[in-house]
Amino acid sequence: APTFDLINDLRAWVDANRNSNLILVVFVTGVRFLITAIFEVFMVVLHGLTWPGLTTIGGVLGFLVGGWRLAALMASGFLSFGVLGLWERSVDTLALTLAAVVLSLLVGIPLGILAGRSDRFMNALRPVLDVMQIMPTFAYLAPFALFFLIGPATAAIVTMIYAIPPAIRITALGIRGVAPATVEAATSLGSTSRQLLAKVQLPMARRTIVLGINQTIMMALSMVVITAVVDAPGLGKDILRALQVSNVGQAFDAGLAIVVMAIMLDRLTTRASERLDPARAGSSDRFGRGVLFAPVVAVVLAVAVGTLTPVGSEFPTGLAFSFADPINAGVGSITLNLYDLTE
């Protein structure tokens, strides 16, 4: 069909002019290098903290945000990555998720604020967000891989497409959810538009905004697994390889690690949103100030633990355990003995 020929011609033109066309060299290559650099920074930092350091960070953040139970969940979650023998790939997945989430929030929260304050902007943005959420995730992997090549950059970009809409929608919902009487009172007292946003709307919408961050993280984590198709690093590759050879046990290990990571990030951000509830004025203000120091405390402790303890940077292989063999044995038994029922 002529349309297919046109698309193929575009592909050939991009491949032929990738290193000579000004737009492709400056914009496309520049964006690819920038996003790849952001991912590599996260990856180097997370791997450099070593498994004792990252486990310490998780435990400290969990304790500061939600108490000892959340601290135990975070620490045991990080340890489970090593026990499953998937430490390196789990950290790669976490790095790619954090890079995509940071970029999504840098774009999504400002757009959400504008959408929350302007009906016209929200109406113009809504169909774009609908398309971003409804479009099948595999549909835009190939076009972006054409321009940005396979690898972390394309993975982060397609993850952003999937993860930005919740950040925009929920941020706008939080801004619009501020009581009109409160806005009118602040305006009547002479607040400018900027003061109204900074001192009234954002503080009262902060719990909703953190819930938006929570959903952005969940969307990003679900998408970075699919981006293994375009050579994204991490646990998605384990699942993709397992699917190719029908190794259910291997897929189970990687899937379990992803579920654990999702639970950890979900509980941490959900608890943070509860602590930032404006209804808890005194405690939420103290917590908001503590949030500024919590990462510093966690990183200092993590660096100390990671560099001073003699356990080494690699997770001990003697502690590794895999569900692959028993899962595959169970699958084989079902295939052999329950054929009549399953057929």
Side-chain angles (χ1 to χ4, degrees):
T3 303
F4 295 160
D5 292 335
L6 179 64
I7 295 174
N8 287 336
D9 291 341
L10 173 63
R11 181 187 62 188
W13 181 87
V14 171
D15 286 336
N17 296 276
R18 189 182 303 278
N19 298 319
S20 58
N21 182 270
L22 183 62
I23 296 178
L24 294 179
V25 171
V26 175
F27 177 73
V28 175
T29 305
V31 170
R32 177 163 58 89
F33 284 159
L34 175 62
I35 295 178
T36 302
I38 293 173
F39 162 71
E40 289 179 348
V41 167
F42 276 103
M43 188 172 63
V44 169
V45 170
L46 292 179
H47 280 291
L49 289 172
T50 71
W51 70 268
L54 273 180
T55 304
T56 302
I57 282 184
V60 172
L61 288 178
F63 181 78
L64 293 174
V65 172
W68 66 269
R69 291 183 178 178
L70 185 56
L73 173 66
M74 296 292 294
S76 60
F78 275 111
L79 290 176
S80 70
F81 301 148
V83 171
L84 290 170
L86 299 170
W87 178 262
E88 298 288 333
R89 295 184 289 282
S90 296
V91 174
D92 289 343
T93 296
L94 182 61
L96 183 57
T97 301
L98 292 178
V101 167
V102 168
L103 292 171
S104 297
L105 295 178
L106 288 175
V107 176
I109 290 180
L111 291 179
I113 292 173
L114 290 175
R117 305 187 81 193
S118 170
D119 291 336
R120 181 177 298 177
F121 185 75
M122 185 64 194
N123 291 333
L125 198 60
R126 185 176 289 113
V128 178
L129 300 179
D130 292 340
V131 171
M132 292 170 69
Q133 289 187 296
I134 294 172
M135 179 75 72
T137 52
F138 285 100
Y140 45 80
L141 288 176
F144 279 96
L146 169 64
F147 286 96
F148 297 99
L149 305 180
I150 61 173
T154 297
I157 291 172
V158 298
T159 300
M160 288 174 61
I161 294 175
Y162 196 61
I164 283 178
I168 297 175
R169 290 184 187 275
I170 298 179
T171 300
L173 179 65
I175 297 296
R176 291 173 179 271
V178 177
T182 304
V183 176
E184 292 175 3
T187 304
S188 66
L189 292 173
S191 297
T192 64
S193 178
R194 181 175 299 178
Q195 290 172 330
L196 179 65
L197 174 65
K199 297 185 177 182
V200 177
Q201 291 176 315
L202 285 179
M204 297 193 71
R206 57 190 175 187
R207 180 186 182 185
T208 305
I209 293 175
V210 175
L211 286 175
I213 295 174
N214 171 281
Q215 291 302 299
T216 301
I217 292 174
M218 294 299 102
M219 295 296 102
L221 187 57
S222 66
M223 188 62 191
V224 294
V225 178
I226 297 175
T227 56
V229 176
V230 290
D231 199 37
L235 295 167
K237 283 190 173 182
D238 290 77
I239 294 179
L240 186 61
R241 283 194 294 265
L243 289 173
Q244 291 170 343
V245 296
S246 297
N247 190 330
V248 181
Q250 180 184 348
F252 182 87
D253 282 348
L256 181 60
I258 293 168
V259 169
V260 171
M261 188 180 299
I263 291 173
M264 292 164 55
L265 297 175
D266 174 71
R267 297 297 185 272
L268 187 67
T269 51
T270 299
R271 186 59 176 161
S273 70
E274 293 173 355
R275 296 287 296 274
L276 288 170
D277 190 348
R280 305 171 56 180
S283 61
S284 64
D285 289 341
R286 290 192 296 271
F287 177 72
R289 291 190 294 269
V291 166
L292 299 176
F293 299 101
V296 178
V297 174
V299 169
V300 169
L301 288 175
V303 171
V305 171
T307 56
L308 299 180
T309 53
V311 295
S313 59
E314 296 185 1
F315 197 89
T317 56
L319 299 177
F321 173 80
S322 174
F323 291 96
D325 290 339
I327 291 292
N328 286 334
V331 171
S333 177
I334 291 172
T335 304
L336 180 64
N337 299 308
L338 299 182
Y339 175 79
D340 293 335
L341 178 63
T342 58
E343 179 66 14

